[in-house]
Each structure stands twice: as structure tokens, then as C-alpha cells.
């Protein structure tokens, strides 16, 4: 049977093993991730009160930096908003800071203001961008309605991440109900893009078009495995698109050879980023409304990037 034959072949592929070369520094960095001094930004404490408004309207008491500090502590230490309020107040009190702390209602309302926040990532040369997505469960939605009333409500959001394979940092983030968010991701990225890599779920001309439109002078290489049933759009070698060349190479050499030739293995960086998000931040969203959820995801990405800068393993494949 072909299915059994292919499954048997997959089991013969040995699991890759890696050895961390900077274990002492990495271990110290992992310990520092839990240090409060890492998350209590001096700039936030210096500019705790919001600047005076020059336009009509009520005067905000807390700056965006103060709100972000509370929301960051909430995510890092896995707290509810009320506990984050009390935790922040106790930390400031121990530090001898006589500062008012935003109450949980204010933090919840102001979290919507971070919905359009872009990751603060510094590119180091042309980026090899890898894209992946995952589902995040909505807080308190879905099962009860479906079981009690037979209602099937949407209980998930789609989180799309773009990762710089050179640094492992998340450089773009989109939380939405839609699947096709590659143009929005590429629009957040600053700097030159050398390549865009994603899995077969992103296969399609719109993705290739979005990459070419983002950088028309030097279009990035798009590395996406075509579907097994994909057929080249033209037989003219001179007029072949990137997708057509992928189809031809796979037909001639096979998918494993195509992966080695195109550097498709970089996609593991995106899978790692998704795994880190769910392991550290969690598999569900805490906020209720979409703008607040987008703000939560934006702050979560900044948390993960800061953790990576503090502790990043340098690993090599074991012999």
C-alpha cells in the first residue's frame, strides 16, 4: 500500500539533535527574564503621567508607557487585570515610587490603543522573512453557547507572524479573522526583504504579487511549496514565474531536493516563534474585543522579542 510505504519511509528519517554552545550565557539570560528590573522601564516611570492635551477633550492621567508597563507585567507573569494592578502597585511601593497605578478598567480600555503597534525590531541587512499563523482561542466563548443553545459562534482568532530568520525576532504581527494577511504583514516590515518563506497554506499568486508589490525594484524570492496538484501556467522557460519554477524543480528533482535548493528549512524559525508564543504567552486571548485583542498580541510580540534579546541559544547540529 502506498500510504504504508510512505509512512515507513518517514520513520527512517532521524530526528535532528542540537547542542547549545553558549549554555552559561543562555542560562543566565533565562534567569534574567524573571527579573522585574528587566520589565520596569525607567522611561515609563519617568514619563508616568500623560502629557497635557492640546486638543479638546478630557485629560488622560496615565501615559501610554504606563499602561504598557501594566499590560506587559500582566502577560509576563500571567496575571488577570486586577492582579496586574495590585502587582504593579506593590512593586512601585517597594521601589519607593509614589505613583498612582492605572485601575483594571483603565488598562482594559486603553489597551485598544496598542492595536496598530508594530514590533520594534531592528533589521540587520536584507531579511529572510518566514511567515506562519496559528489560532488563538477567545476568552469564555464557544463551548457553553454551543452546548446550551446549539449556537456555533466564532471562538478563534488567527494570528499571523512574520519572523526574521537572521535574528529569530518577530518583525510583523497581524491578528484577524481573515486568512490572507500577507500584504498587511509585509506592509509592517521595515528594510529590504531578501526572501519570503511560508508553508503550502500560503500557496497562490496573491502572495507572489504582494511580495513583488512590496519591493518592485528587487522582488524577494518567494519560497512556498506548490500543491501536489499544481500545474505550471506556461511552458515557456523565459516567461516562467517563480511558482512555475518551483513546480518544475519539484517535478524534476523531488520535494526534498527542492527544499535544500531553496532554503525552505528556514521556515522552522516561524514554527519556533509560534511555539514560543503559545508556551510563554498562552494559547488564548485574554481581552474581549478585537481592538483590545490586537493590542494584546502586539504587546505579547514585544515581550517575546525582548526575551529573545536577553537569552538566545547558539546551537549547532550534533554529529
Amino acid at each position: 500500500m502506498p500510504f504504508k510505504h510512505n509512512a515507513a519511509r518517514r520513520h527512517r528519517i532521524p530526528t535532528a539533535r542540537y547542542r547549545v554552545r553558549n549554555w552559561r550565557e543562555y542560562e543566565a539570560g533565562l534567569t534574567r527574564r524573571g527579573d522585574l528590573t528587566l520589565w520596569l522601564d525607567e522611561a515609563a516611570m519617568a514619563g508616568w503621567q500623560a502629557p497635557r492635551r492640546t486638543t479638546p477633550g478630557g485629560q488622560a492621567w496615565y501615559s501610554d508607557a504606563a499602561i504598557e508597563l501594566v499590560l506587559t507585567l500582566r502577560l509576563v507573569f500571567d496575571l488577570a487585570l486586577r492582579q496586574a494592578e495590585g502587582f504593579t502597585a506593590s512593586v512601585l511601593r517597594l521601589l519607593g515610587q509614589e505613583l498612582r497605578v492605572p485601575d483594571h478598567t483603565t488598562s482594559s480600555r486603553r489597551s485598544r490603543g496598542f492595536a496598530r503597534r508594530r514590533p520594534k525590531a531592528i533589521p540587520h541587512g536584507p531579511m529572510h522573512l518566514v511567515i506562519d499563523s496559528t489560532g488563538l482561542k477567545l476568552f469564555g466563548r464557544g463551548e457553553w453557547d454551543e452546548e446550551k443553545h446549539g449556537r456555533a459562534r466564532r471562538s478563534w482568532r488567527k494570528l499571523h507572524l512574520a519572523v526574521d530568520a537572521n535574528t529569530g525576532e518577530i518583525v510583523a504581527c497581524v491578528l484577524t479573522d481573515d486568512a490572507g494577511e500577507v500584504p498587511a504583514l509585509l506592509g509592517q516590515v521595515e528594510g529590504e526583504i531578501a526572501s519570503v518563506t511560508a508553508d503550502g497554506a500560503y500557496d497562490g499568486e496573491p502572495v507572489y504579487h504582494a511580495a513583488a508589490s512590496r519591493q518592485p525594484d528587487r522582488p524577494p524570492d518567494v519560497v512556498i511549496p506548490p500543491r501536489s496538484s499544481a500545474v505550471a501556467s506556461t511552458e515557456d522557460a523565459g516567461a516562467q514565474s517563480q511558482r512555475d519554477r518551483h513546480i518544475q524543480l519539484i517535478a524534476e528533482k523531488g520535494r526534498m531536493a527542492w527544499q535544500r535548493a531553496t532554503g525552505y528549512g528556514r521556515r522552522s524559525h516561524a514554527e519556533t516563534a509560534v511555539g514560543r508564543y503559545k508556551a510563554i504567552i498562552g494559547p488564548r486571548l485574554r481581552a474581549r474585543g478585537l481592538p483590545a485583542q490586537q493590542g494584546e498580541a502586539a504587546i505579547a510580540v514585544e515581550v517575546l522579542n525582548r526575551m529573545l534579546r536577553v537569552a538566545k541559544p547558539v546551537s549547532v547540529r550534533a554529529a
Side-chain angles (χ1 to χ4, degrees), residues 134-136 138 156-159 175-177 285 290 293:
T134 187
L136 296 179
L138 300 185
W156 298 83
R157 300 273 191 219
K158 197 77 168 179
L159 177 67
L175 182 74
T176 181
D177 292 331
L285 293 160
L290 179 57
Q293 291 165 354

Side-chain angles (χ1 to χ4, degrees), residues 40-59:
L40 290 170
D41 195 319
E42 293 183 3
M45 297 174 68
W48 194 259
Q49 190 167 350
R52 184 160 296 278
R53 289 186 59 154
T54 58
T55 57
Q59 172 63 39

Side-chain angles (χ1 to χ4, degrees), residues 24-169:
R24 181 175 298 179
E25 296 82 1
Y26 181 49
E27 186 178 34
L30 291 175
T31 303
R32 187 165 177 252
R33 286 181 180 180
D35 189 344
L36 278 172
T37 60
L38 174 65
W39 305 104
L40 290 170
D41 195 319
E42 293 183 3
M45 297 174 68
W48 194 259
Q49 190 167 350
R52 184 160 296 278
R53 289 186 59 154
T54 58
T55 57
Q59 172 63 39
W61 181 270
Y62 305 102
S63 66
D64 287 343
I67 300 296
E68 183 178 2
L69 174 59
V70 176
L71 296 176
T72 297
L73 292 176
R74 176 198 187 192
L75 290 176
V76 171
F77 296 101
D78 193 19
L79 304 170
L81 275 176
R82 288 176 174 82
Q83 283 73 53
E85 176 187 345
F87 182 68
T88 306
S90 65
V91 170
L92 294 179
R93 189 164 54 248
L94 290 172
L95 293 175
Q97 299 285 340
E98 297 182 359
L99 297 172
R100 291 173 53 181
V101 176
D103 60 69
H104 58 277
T105 304
T106 301
S107 298
S108 176
R109 175 174 49 83
R110 293 278 299 275
S111 65
R112 294 174 291 184
F114 298 93
R116 298 185 181 275
R117 170 74 64 86
R118 296 186 177 188
K120 302 173 184 176
I122 301 175
H124 300 276
M127 284 179 287
H128 291 283
L129 213 62
V130 286
I131 295 174
D132 203 356
S133 62
T134 187
L136 296 179
K137 190 170 180 59
L138 300 185
F139 178 84
R141 290 278 299 274
E143 290 85 353
W144 188 87
D145 280 335
E146 188 172 356
E147 181 178 350
K148 190 74 175 177
H149 303 291
R151 301 171 185 165
R153 292 190 176 185
R154 179 183 294 275
S155 57
W156 298 83
R157 300 273 191 219
K158 197 77 168 179
L159 177 67
H160 302 263
L161 299 177
V163 179
D164 182 0
N166 297 327
T167 62
E169 293 188 19

Side-chain angles (χ1 to χ4, degrees), residues 184-205:
L185 282 173
L186 298 181
Q188 292 185 16
V189 177
E190 297 181 1
E192 183 180 353
I193 301 175
S195 67
V196 177
T197 303
D199 63 19
Y202 291 86
D203 180 39
E205 288 299 334

